[in-house]
Structure formats: structure tokens, C-alpha cells
Amino acid sequence: MSVIDDLRSLILGGRYAPGDRLGEVELAQLLQVSRTPVREALRQLQSEGLVEVTANKGARVIEYPAADLETIFELRARIEGLAARQAAATATDEDVERLHEVAVSLGEHAGRRELDAVYRLNAEFHQELVRLGGSTVLAQSISALVHSPVLLRTYSAFDEEAMRRSVNHHIEIAAAVRAGDPEWAEAVMRAHLFSARASLLGPRKPRKPRKQA
């Protein structure tokens, strides 16, 4: 593995939490390399959105406020649910076969915890659904909400049960599209994204009771 891969794994694996400082000297000692490849790795991870580098302050793991993440998942569930609904109404037999193949391949890689391949295939699956939805507005809206660091951290947060549930969701969405059932496709997509939200953020806090007038 390269220094970039090692550092990315340390961040996504939880060794460095959101907001943690990433000191070049400490990382160079930890990874047993000089500071130059560490500095280059930090620049690359900054371009990926995992790291924030500030002049005179150094690097730190980028941090998304929990409230923002809640909003991202809520909006994605609504918009991608609509994309899945539209895809179920328009997909051809060839489209369905392609979706199913991607979902099955994703499951195979997930079983081996090959997260880079899982991330790539997940993106391909969701992008194909958006394409089948046929709406430029939907595609642009989803693009604005899909943040690579959030997706990478979500998959890294999956335990075995969550990963298996995610794989099954992809296969079921493909089945719903094959059946031409918009309601089914939308419902599973929404469940899929709310399940991912729970893996990343944990249980929702109970709502406070409304005060009596």
C-alpha cells in the first residue's frame, strides 16, 4: 500500500476522528517514511475531501456537523427515492440486467470487505438509477448531495450486518425495477439510505415532547 492508502485507511478506520489534527512529523514516524510523501498524501486527501489543510495551522480530518449529515441523508432519501421510482417506470430489460449484475458484483466484493470496489460499484449502481430516471434536475440535485468523504466513511462504519443489509437493498431495488413497481423501488431506496444514516450517525435522539399551551 502507498502512503496515501495507509493514511486514508487510518482516517476511515477511525484512528483519526473528524476534527483531529494530522501532524506531518507524527505521521511520518507512524508510517515510517519521510515527511515529503506524508505532505503529498495530505494534499491528495485534501483533493478527495477527507482532509482540510490551512495555512499556519496544518492539516486536520475534515468534519461535517451531525446536523448537516442528517440533512444530507434526509434529502438523498427523498430525491434518490424519486429517482428509483422513475427508473422502475422506464427501465428496459437490458437496464434491469445491468443493475442486477452490478448489485451482485457489489455483494461479492462486500463479502471480502474490498471497500474500494464496493464504493465504486455502489456509485455505479446509484448513477445508473439516476440515468434511468431521465431527469437532469434529479441528477444535479443528487450530485450536489453526494459527498465522497461521507460515503467512504459510511462504508467504513458498516459492521457485517449493516454491509449485508446494504447489499440486500441493492439487489431488492434491482428486483423492484425489474417488476416495474415504482412504489416498491422508492420504499427500498429510502430504507437503504436511512439504514446507512443509522450506521454512520447512530440512533436518532428521541424527540422532545411538545410543551402544552
Side-chain angles (χ1 to χ4, degrees):
M1 292 178 68
S2 67
V3 174
I4 294 173
D5 291 333
D6 287 338
L7 184 50
R8 186 188 295 111
S9 295
L10 288 172
I11 294 171
L12 295 177
R15 172 71 178 266
Y16 293 97
D20 281 357
R21 182 179 175 279
L22 298 167
E24 289 183 9
V25 174
E26 175 194 345
L27 290 172
Q29 292 174 345
L30 178 64
L31 299 175
Q32 298 182 337
V33 296
S34 69
R35 292 176 62 180
T36 298
V38 169
R39 192 176 301 119
E40 293 172 352
L42 289 171
R43 290 197 193 101
Q44 175 62 35
L45 295 179
Q46 180 182 29
S47 71
E48 294 179 13
L50 277 176
V51 170
E52 180 179 45
V53 180
T54 307
N56 302 320
K57 292 185 178 180
R60 68 181 183 89
V61 180
I62 201 162
E63 186 173 17
Y64 287 88
D68 287 352
L69 293 174
E70 286 278 4
T71 300
I72 287 171
F73 278 107
E74 177 69 36
L75 290 173
R76 283 191 63 195
R78 292 175 183 271
I79 298 172
E80 293 198 51
L82 180 57
R85 167 184 281 273
Q86 294 185 355
T90 61
T92 65
D93 290 344
E94 184 179 349
D95 294 328
V96 169
E97 286 305 317
R98 179 57 189 156
L99 275 178
H100 180 72
E101 288 173 4
V102 173
V104 170
S105 182
L106 187 154
E108 292 170 349
H109 287 286
R112 297 191 291 269
R113 297 294 297 187
E114 296 170 347
L115 295 187
D116 286 344
V118 170
Y119 172 73
R120 174 178 56 80
L121 290 165
N122 175 75
E124 183 178 345
F125 185 92
H126 285 257
Q127 289 165 5
E128 182 65 10
L129 280 176
V130 173
R131 184 188 70 80
L132 294 176
S135 168
T136 303
V137 173
L138 274 180
Q140 292 174 342
S141 299
I142 292 170
S143 177
L145 291 168
V146 175
H147 301 275
S148 294
V150 176
L151 291 177
L152 287 168
R153 190 168 284 129
T154 301
Y155 271 115
S156 298
F158 279 2
D159 58 17
E160 184 177 344
E161 181 182 354
M163 183 67 80
R164 182 168 56 249
R165 185 165 55 246
S166 178
V167 168
N168 290 338
H169 282 154
H170 286 89
I171 292 173
E172 188 175 358
I173 290 167
V177 173
R178 184 190 299 277
D181 191 323
E183 288 78 14
W184 181 14
E186 180 178 16
V188 180
M189 178 59 79
R190 287 174 61 86
H192 172 60
L193 287 164
F194 285 133
S195 173
R197 186 220 68 83
S199 293
L200 182 61
L201 298 176
R204 293 183 187 273
K205 293 181 180 179
R207 301 180 188 277
K208 295 180 180 179
R210 182 176 299 178
K211 294 181 179 179
Q212 298 295 324

